[in-house]
Amino acid sequence: MKKYKIGYTTGVFDLFHIGHLNILKNAKDKCEYLIVGVSTDEIVTSYKGKKPVIPFEERLEIVKSIKYVDEV
């Protein structure tokens, strides 16, 4: 059985920009399989005091489409 390194990172990923892409690329460089968590609108609102501009479901789809991400 082949062992491989699994990575995990999480974020809001609202108004996706190059910094977000760099975080995901750098995370993937350190593992073979990258899982990414996307914070819900409710959680973001509770700790940032404002609702994300891009709705949760759309942010999920954006992150899923990034080639460095294996699972969201």
Side-chain angles (χ1 to χ4, degrees):
M1 174 193 259
K2 181 184 186 273
K3 290 186 178 185
Y4 59 98
K5 192 182 293 186
I6 298 172
Y8 176 77
T9 191
T10 188
V12 179
F13 302 105
D14 195 25
L15 300 175
F16 198 91
H17 54 77
I18 193 69
H20 293 129
L21 187 62
N22 288 337
I23 288 167
L24 298 174
K25 182 181 184 310
N26 290 335
K28 181 64 175 190
D29 286 344
K30 294 173 177 32
C31 63
E32 288 80 34
Y33 190 86
L34 180 61
I35 302 169
V36 179
V38 178
S39 299
T40 63
D41 292 348
E42 295 78 17
I43 288 176
V44 175
T45 302
S46 74
Y47 74 84
K48 286 193 172 189
K50 59 183 179 178
K51 189 174 178 179
V53 175
I54 308 298
F56 175 69
E57 293 296 330
E58 291 180 25
R59 291 183 285 120
L60 275 180
E61 288 304 312
I62 291 166
V63 174
K64 283 180 185 178
S65 71
I66 305 300
K67 70 180 181 178
Y68 308 116
V69 176
D70 296 299
E71 185 175 335
V72 177

